[in-house]
Each structure stands twice: as C-alpha cells, then as structure tokens.
Amino acid sequence: MFILVNLKAYPCDPIEVATAARDVAEASGVRIAVSPQAADVARVADTGVETWAQHVDPNGHGSHTGSTLAEAVAEAGATGTLINHSEKRQTLADIDGAVRAAERAGLETCVCANNPAQIGAAAALGPDSVAVEPPALIGGDVSVATADPGIVEDAVAAAAAVDDDVDVYCGAGISSGDDVATAGELGATGILLASGVAKADDPRSALEALVEPL
Ligand SMILES: O=C(CO)COP(=O)(O)O
C-alpha cells in the first residue's frame, strides 16, 4: 500500500511529519509520501521523504500570476502531485491540462474525485492514479472503508473499466492500521489521509500505527 499524507493547510510542523514519515517508511518498507503546502515543498523534500505537491495548475511558464507551476514544484523536489482535491476543485479541462503539465514536469499524478462516476472520468484522462474521497467523510472519525465500502469497490471497478493501468486510492476518515488494511481488501492500492497524522499529538506514533498491519 502507498500512504500519502496530505498536510492541507493544517498548522502542523511539516518537517516533524516529513522526518517521521521518512523514518517509518525506511523501517517498515511501506511507501509513504508527504504532501505539504507548495511553499514547504523544498524543505520537506530535503528531509529525504517522498514529496508531493497538493495541486498544480495547467499552465506552463508565462503570465500566470499566482499559479502553482508543475515545473516549479518539481524543481523544488516534488516527485508527484495531487490534482482536483475535493478542497481544490478544477474544471474538467483544467484537470486534463494539469495532468499534462505534471507529465511534462516528470511528476507522478493522482486525480481526486468524489464518487465512482467521477473516478471513471478521471481515469480517462490518463493519470498514474485516481483517488476516491467522499467529501462528507473527509476530516471525520469514520473511515471511508468502513462507512462506505461500496464506494471504494465501485471506484476500483470504474477505473478498471476505463484503464487497467490506473491505480485506485481512497481517502477520508482513515486513521488506523485496520482502516488501511480494510481499504486494501476492497481493492485500493493506496490511501490518502490528512487529519489522522497532521492533527495527531504524535505524528510518528500515528504513522507507525498505520503501517503496523501491512
Ligand atoms: O482529504 C483527505 C486527504 O486528501 C482526507 O482527509 P482526512 O484524512 O482528514 O479525512
């Protein structure tokens, strides 16, 4: 399983989380990445942890004030990017453009979606992975894998019907190793989580608990 820790705009110490994630990944052999604010990408990447951007815009270099350039986050050390997170929705055309921009910059891509129908549409754009995250469960205490296992299974089927090569992740409310294991049993090959680590009193212990059953 791939574990992607999205720090969103939470007031955590990104270096504390990044260092813990790097150490837990090394000790467990589980692939773990951290996705900080764009301004923190370089110093998070400097810890040695796999680092993802939270968003990139479809544009390349040019007159695009305020944009997050795929080339810039790649230059800062990111190796992947989320696109169309539930809290950073884009139009279909911009999602397509962002996937292409990320590819040009050599970034791995994960397009987020609310439900299986959107997962199918996202998979058709040819990203490396898609992630189903029901908005109502994001930031809550109940894992998507427990609250709505059918949405994970249906997302896996929707992606496979379009393109077998696109990995399917899931997220929302995931905080324990059991949640991660259950997501895997439903067919997900990775999870996205945020509050379970970014808001934990001890992010290192939270990460150790996540990988424990893997
Ligand atoms: O949005 C998410 C990850 O991208 C999920 O957030 P929570 O883990 O806080 O539910």
Side-chain angles (χ1 to χ4, degrees):
M1 289 289 270
F2 173 43
I3 295 179
L4 177 63
V5 182
N6 177 4
L7 301 185
K8 303 193 174 184
Y10 285 132
C12 60
D13 177 351
I15 302 307
E16 180 191 4
V17 177
T19 306
R22 176 201 64 199
D23 294 347
V24 173
E26 274 172 18
S28 64
V30 177
R31 182 183 174 200
I32 304 177
V34 172
S35 186
Q37 288 279 300
D40 294 326
V41 163
R43 60 196 192 106
V44 164
D46 280 349
T47 68
V49 77
E50 180 176 337
T51 305
W52 280 47
Q54 295 180 7
H55 164 82
V56 294
D57 283 299
N59 58 271
H61 289 283
S63 51
H64 306 288
T65 304
S67 62
T68 300
L69 201 56
E71 285 86 347
V73 295
E75 182 68 25
T79 55
T81 187
L82 295 174
I83 291 167
N84 194 47
H85 189 274
S86 183
E87 295 148 9
K88 192 69 178 173
R89 285 293 184 227
Q90 293 170 265
T91 64
L92 186 62
D94 282 351
I95 297 167
D96 190 13
V99 172
R100 306 285 83 83
E103 281 176 354
R104 282 196 302 274
L107 296 170
E108 191 171 330
T109 50
C110 177
V111 176
C112 302
N114 287 358
N115 55 43
Q118 290 179 20
I119 285 286
L125 300 175
D128 296 298
S129 61
V130 290
V132 64
E133 294 198 292
L137 298 174
I138 290 178
D141 294 333
V142 185
S143 157
V144 58
T146 305
D148 198 350
I151 202 171
V152 181
E153 292 172 322
D154 290 350
V156 170
V162 173
D163 185 345
D164 253 348
D165 289 336
V166 177
D167 286 321
V168 180
Y169 308 151
C170 67
I174 292 175
S175 63
S176 73
D178 282 352
D179 295 339
V180 179
T182 305
E185 286 160 16
L186 294 170
T189 56
I191 58 138
L192 270 57
L193 89 164
S195 47
V197 170
K199 293 172 84 173
D201 291 336
D202 182 351
R204 184 175 294 262
S205 298
L207 286 160
E208 285 168 347
L210 282 171
V211 303
E212 201 271 327
L214 302 181

